[in-house]
Amino acid sequence: MKPDHESLPLLQRLHVRVFADPEVRAVLDAGFAQLALELESRPDPPHATCTVPIELFTGVGQDRITAASEDRVASGRHDRVRLCRLFLLRGGARMAAPERHCNSVQRLVSYRGSGSIHQGVPGGDPEGLGARTICSPGADDCDLARHWDIVPAGVWHYPEAAGGEGWATVTFHSATEGEIVDELWNEG
C-alpha cells in the first residue's frame, strides 16, 4: 500500500539511513553483491535474501532510528523496526508463490531497479492481488510514495521485478528474526 501521512516520519528517517549514510550503503552493497553471486550459482528460486544487522538503523546517533522500544514515532508494536532483510529478485521474474508475514508489517524501499508489489487486503486470500509499481530514487528524488511500499501484517503479497536488471529491495519488519512468522501460499 502507498505510504500514508502517518508513516512518513519513520520512512523519511529510514530513507536517509539507507541512501545517505556511507556505512549503511557499504553494508547494503556488500549484501546485494553476495546475493547476486548466490543467484548466479543456481537457476531457482529466482530470488535470494539475507538479514543485515538492525543495529545499522537503531541506536542513539543523530540520524539513526531509535530502538524499537524507544521509537517516539511508533504508537504500537507494528510501527516498530526490528528486522532488516535484503531481497534480490532476478530481472523480469516474480516470486513463485505469494507470501505473508502473519505478525509483521513490512516496509520496503526499492534500492536498485524497479518492480511491482502485488498485494491483497487484510483478511483476503492470495487471489487477484493488486499491483503497485515502485522504483529506486534518483539523486534528487525524495518522493517516498514512489519508492516505498507498506504491506500490513497478514496480507498476501509477492514482488515482480521489471525486465532487465535484478530488483534490489531493503525490507524492514516490525517483528524480530526470531518472532516473524513467514508463510508461503500452498495451493495444494
Side-chain angles (χ1 to χ4, degrees):
M1 87 183 186
K2 185 175 178 177
D4 60 13
H5 183 70
E6 285 184 24
S7 63
L8 290 180
L10 177 59
L11 296 184
Q12 287 169 337
R13 294 186 322 194
L14 289 169
H15 196 86
V16 167
R17 295 291 296 155
V18 168
F19 293 103
D21 186 294
E23 174 191 7
V24 171
R25 296 239 1 159
V27 171
L28 299 179
D29 288 340
F32 283 120
Q34 284 298 115
L35 295 178
L37 290 173
E38 185 180 326
L39 283 180
E40 286 176 16
S41 71
R42 59 176 166 76
D44 286 313
H47 66 275
T49 187
C50 69
T51 300
V52 296
I54 194 61
E55 292 78 19
L56 286 171
F57 303 95
T58 61
V60 294
Q62 180 180 7
D63 292 327
R64 289 186 186 232
I65 310 309
T66 56
S69 62
E70 303 169 3
D71 191 344
R72 289 174 179 77
V73 174
S75 60
R77 75 178 179 93
H78 286 307
D79 294 330
R80 298 176 182 165
V81 172
R82 301 172 69 206
L83 170 63
C84 180
R85 291 177 174 166
L86 306 184
F87 188 86
L88 183 60
L89 182 61
R90 283 192 183 97
R94 64 164 275 193
M95 196 164 164
E99 69 172 342
R100 66 180 173 180
H101 312 291
C102 298
N103 63 338
S104 183
V105 173
Q106 174 182 279
R107 294 167 182 86
L108 69 98
V109 64
S110 184
Y111 186 74
R112 190 170 46 244
S114 64
S116 297
I117 299 296
H118 298 256
Q119 96 176 248
V121 296
D125 63 31
E127 303 297 324
L129 305 183
R132 181 169 178 275
T133 300
I134 61 173
C135 60
S136 299
D140 297 324
D141 186 356
C142 294
D143 182 0
L144 298 182
R146 292 183 58 218
H147 314 300
W148 285 83
D149 193 73
I150 301 171
V151 180
V155 170
W156 291 103
H157 63 282
Y158 68 86
E160 182 174 16
E165 68 177 318
W167 187 25
T169 60
V170 181
T171 64
F172 296 93
H173 290 273
S174 60
T176 66
E177 181 70 20
E179 296 172 341
I180 195 166
V181 178
D182 297 322
E183 182 181 351
L184 289 174
W185 175 249
N186 182 356
E187 295 180 88

